[in-house]
Amino acid sequence: MNIAFDEYGRPFIIMREQDMKERLTGPEARKANILIAVSLMNILKTSLGPKGMDKILVSPDGEITVTNDGATILDNMDITNEIEKLLVELSKGQDDEIGDGTTSVVVFAGALLEQAQKLLDKGIHPIRIADGYEHACKIAVEHLKKISSEITFDRENYETLITAAMTSVSSKVVNEFQRQLSEIAVKAVLTVADLERKDVRIDLIQVQGKTGGSLKDTQLIDGIVIDKEMSHPQMQKEVSDAKIAILSCPFEPPKPKTGYKLNIDSVEKYKKLQELEQKYFHDMVKLVKDSGANLVLCQWGFDDEANHLLYQNELPSVRWVGGVEMELIALATGGRIVPRFSELNEKKLGLAGHVKEIPLGTTNDNIIVLEKCSQKKAVCIFVRGGNKMVVDEAKRSLHDAICVTRNLIRDNKIVYGGGAPEISCSLAVSKAADEISTLEQYAIRSFADALDQIPISLAENSGLDPIETISNLKANQIKTNNPFLGVDCLGKGTENMKEQNVFDTLAGKIQQLLLATQMAKMILKIDDVILHHGQN
Ligand code: ADP
């Protein structure tokens, strides 16, 4: 990122010298930046909410992604501009911390900047606007806390968690299986969670996918899954009390160094070489056997010769195990990843109660499952689907659902959704603005207007008249003093989101407001841009 800060902490953009063509400073620079952010918001806002449009993204090599996940859309867009890059990072920031709200955060940041432009046009200084936004954000966050509720759940009764997960699994691609996927995600999280300590290690949840079958065949597997088979068809398919050698070294004789010339000009020499190779394999297999291992997982492939020897020595083995799986297996089984055969010993073996190769539902594929790992309980969600696009979108939705569930276990506070909290905060912030006599009141009011953008987009995407919907909602929230009234996106006949059971986590919502405000302030302060018109 070519963003730097000057000695006063003001951000500015640097470009390479040969790219310097035209320079914008002050108001013009700001206007250009805001325009970019607003147009990005306009793309993303049509994806917001349960009726949001899915976007089809085509990569330069023709691969197709269908999604309504903000972070994914931004990730796949052809982004060259620095401001766009900042907004991509904004969305990713929300994704890393919270997991959902990735569309909303960019829409809100765009809305803040759009409102800021109106104030700039009136001659209000950007620093003033930034300060006002900061102040308004504090009011909104405090208000969110006030209107939040707590949900309850335990290991047996976790319907509320499923409901929360369902709000985040709303892409059309996977809609039909919303309930099933949410249930699987929640069960997975509960399996690895420590409810007393409110701690969830989501790295113990694998989300694996394989095309074939249908989404309905997606299953939760109790253990770690390796999407591979035993390396030799005649090897035993099940190992009880597995002692696992986790190897990151190949079963191969060492390669001659480059520049080294091997002259094989007679049958004897060839035989000698072959014997030497065999000896290598024998030694390797012996080292594994001597360590006490009864199962080998190898990050690399192995030669047919080695494979045969492993089979003869009754050492079931799996080759080409992925790096991420290797680490997870080491963590869950208490083993070490061993980079050299000579370093193998009993202490470095991973332990699992049961390992087996099992067939996968309807197709002819097999997978290997490591059950009862000795150190940590790990689970795998194995996603099936008709094509790669469906599988990928289901994986993304599951990621969101897992994050939401984890967030609720950490902190069980929620706010009812559908734009209700934004409307309620907008009212609270406007009210605060009325009590302020300085110039700051304008920025604070603009912040309230920007908040309206979320329910406006939800209404637009659901085919409702946005202005009418929002003004009615505001009037009703005031009249009934009910902060749960939001946009009835799915036409269920009630605006009460508590009755509709639509909610988002309080932590996620607060994070959205904080990150978007911070980003809008930062973009407002950039007043020097060098425009780039190609390199001619
Ligand atoms: P994000 O990537 O920001 O999470 P989404 O497309 O998932 O974007 O939309 C989330 C917004 O949609 C939230 O404001 C949420 O409250 C709202 N929402 C989700 N489901 C419903 C629903 N059934 N009715 C009304 N609003 C909903």
Side-chain angles (χ1 to χ4, degrees):
M1 175 79 32
N2 299 338
I3 287 259
F5 296 86
D6 67 11
E7 65 268 40
Y8 302 109
R10 285 183 309 218
F12 62 98
I13 292 174
I14 309 172
M15 305 207 88
R16 281 172 303 165
E17 203 174 357
Q18 70 263 37
D19 295 343
M20 282 198 192
K21 284 289 163 203
E22 195 181 311
R23 194 170 174 152
L24 289 182
T25 51
E28 274 177 77
R30 237 172 248 121
K31 203 168 197 154
N33 292 340
I34 291 176
L35 213 63
I36 292 164
V38 171
S39 38
L40 210 60
M41 164 186 88
N42 285 331
I43 297 175
L44 280 192
K45 72 180 187 190
T46 58
S47 295
L48 192 73
K51 291 269 185 157
M53 296 291 176
D54 288 342
K55 298 265 179 292
I56 297 184
L57 310 163
V58 185
S59 77
D61 46 9
E63 200 178 316
I64 289 179
T65 309
V66 177
T67 186
N68 76 358
D69 181 67
T72 311
I73 296 171
L74 288 174
D75 214 22
N76 283 277
M77 276 168 61
D78 189 13
I79 279 179
T80 47
N81 178 284
E82 300 301 321
I83 297 295
E84 289 176 330
K85 281 189 201 160
L86 283 174
L87 291 164
V88 173
E89 292 206 344
L90 173 65
S91 184
K92 285 216 181 101
Q94 176 80 16
D95 200 25
D96 295 343
E97 285 268 320
I98 304 288
D100 80 342
T102 52
T103 315
S104 312
V105 72
V106 177
V107 171
F108 183 50
L112 282 174
L113 288 166
E114 192 175 39
Q115 294 300 333
Q117 184 61 51
K118 293 184 194 162
L119 299 178
L120 291 170
D121 290 345
K122 281 189 191 148
I124 299 180
H125 195 273
I127 301 293
R128 271 292 181 44
I129 303 176
D131 290 347
Y133 277 3
E134 177 86 39
H135 187 162
C137 186
K138 281 203 186 104
I139 299 170
V141 168
E142 282 314 308
H143 186 73
L144 273 180
K145 290 182 189 160
K146 260 189 237 151
I147 60 168
S148 68
S149 320
E150 284 191 357
I151 59 160
T152 52
F153 54 86
D154 57 44
R155 281 200 188 276
E156 277 74 46
N157 306 300
Y158 46 79
E159 192 55 36
T160 44
L161 291 178
I162 295 180
T163 312
M166 278 172 72
T167 315
S168 66
V169 181
S170 64
S171 153
K172 273 180 220 68
V173 180
V174 298
N175 242 353
E176 207 185 321
F177 301 98
Q178 199 185 17
R179 165 92 206 177
Q180 188 196 351
L181 291 181
S182 306
E183 241 180 83
I184 289 178
V186 171
K187 282 187 189 156
V189 175
L190 282 173
T191 314
V192 302
D194 180 340
L195 291 186
E196 275 78 57
R197 290 178 44 221
K198 302 187 178 214
D199 183 34
V200 184
R201 292 205 53 176
I202 54 175
D203 52 348
L204 291 169
I205 304 174
Q206 267 181 305
V207 182
Q208 292 259 26
K210 194 167 184 157
T211 35
S214 111
L215 270 179
K216 137 171 135 294
D217 303 319
T218 298
Q219 49 177 317
L220 180 64
I221 295 172
D222 198 1
I224 298 175
V225 169
I226 310 172
D227 187 7
K228 293 275 169 344
E229 307 187 339
M230 295 295 178
S231 62
H232 194 290
Q234 283 164 293
M235 278 173 184
Q236 72 194 76
K237 308 273 185 232
E238 281 194 55
V239 184
S240 292
D241 291 323
K243 299 187 182 61
I244 311 163
I246 311 166
L247 299 171
S248 62
C249 43
F251 269 97
E252 268 174 8
K255 295 241 165 20
K257 293 209 168 49
T258 38
Y260 179 94
K261 201 163 151 222
L262 203 59
N263 245 337
I264 303 174
D265 47 14
S266 66
V267 177
E268 284 72 46
K269 278 196 182 161
Y270 178 73
K271 281 215 171 114
K272 189 112 186 101
L273 186 75
Q274 208 184 15
E275 273 167 26
L276 213 66
E277 265 195 21
Q278 276 194 345
K279 187 170 158 5
Y280 269 119
F281 288 136
H282 271 289
D283 291 349
M284 288 171 188
V285 174
K286 187 168 179 315
L287 284 169
V288 177
K289 255 323 233 205
D290 288 351
S291 73
N294 58 7
L295 177 68
V296 178
L297 302 181
C298 185
Q299 194 170 7
W300 302 99
F302 21 90
D303 208 276
D304 287 344
E305 185 94 32
N307 200 13
H308 191 74
L309 267 177
L310 287 164
Y311 159 61
Q312 275 187 334
N313 282 281
E314 294 177 354
L315 262 177
S317 316
V318 187
R319 54 185 153 185
W320 300 120
V321 180
V324 179
E325 275 103 70
M326 297 274 289
E327 278 172 27
L328 179 62
I329 292 165
L331 175 71
T333 64
R336 292 281 197 82
I337 298 176
V338 177
R340 266 179 293 276
F341 286 93
S342 55
E343 289 179 18
L344 253 180
N345 62 42
E346 195 178 351
K347 280 201 211 103
K348 293 189 176 157
L349 302 179
L351 304 178
H354 203 80
V355 178
K356 61 184 178 192
E357 185 184 292
I358 56 169
L360 244 196
T362 42
T363 43
N364 281 333
D365 301 307
N366 292 319
I367 52 171
I368 289 169
V369 183
L370 281 74
E371 292 172 346
K372 306 201 185 91
C373 297
S374 64
Q375 293 297 311
K376 297 261 188 308
K377 213 161 166 35
V379 286
C380 175
I381 301 177
F382 206 82
V383 182
R384 305 307 309 273
N387 58 43
K388 187 168 176 299
M389 182 193 90
V390 173
V391 172
D392 286 349
E393 181 70 351
K395 281 168 75 173
R396 276 191 290 275
S397 298
L398 282 164
H399 167 75
D400 285 3
I402 289 170
C403 287
V404 167
T405 314
R406 175 204 54 192
N407 297 344
L408 282 172
I409 290 177
R410 283 188 183 159
D411 178 359
N412 64 345
K413 292 198 192 67
I414 55 143
V415 282
Y416 290 98
E422 284 83 0
I423 291 176
S424 185
C425 285
S426 168
L427 290 170
V429 172
S430 294
K431 192 157 162 267
D434 292 342
E435 287 156 17
I436 290 172
S437 55
T438 59
L439 216 53
E440 227 179 49
Q441 62 172 298
Y442 295 104
I444 296 178
R445 224 167 260 129
S446 295
F447 188 96
D449 290 341
L451 280 166
D452 289 346
Q453 186 62 54
I454 300 283
I456 287 177
S457 305
L458 288 173
E460 271 172 356
N461 293 344
S462 312
L464 301 166
D465 181 323
I467 302 304
E468 193 187 321
T469 311
I470 303 316
S471 36
N472 282 343
L473 280 171
K474 281 193 173 172
N476 290 343
Q477 279 210 8
I478 295 173
K479 203 163 63 193
T480 58
N481 198 15
N482 182 352
F484 307 151
L485 302 181
V487 182
D488 180 15
C489 294
L490 303 177
K492 296 222 168 147
T494 169
E495 287 177 336
N496 191 330
M497 291 296 137
K498 190 170 178 179
E499 281 167 25
Q500 286 214 20
N501 241 332
V502 172
F503 54 82
D504 300 298
T505 61
L506 173 66
K509 226 359 132 212
I510 290 182
Q511 183 78 4
Q512 266 175 38
L513 294 188
L514 292 176
L515 286 181
T517 306
Q518 206 180 14
M519 184 56 66
K521 277 172 57 191
M522 170 154 169
I523 292 177
L524 272 176
K525 288 181 186 171
I526 299 176
D527 67 353
D528 197 350
V529 176
I530 292 117
L531 279 193
H532 167 42
H533 295 304
Q535 293 178 2
N536 43 6

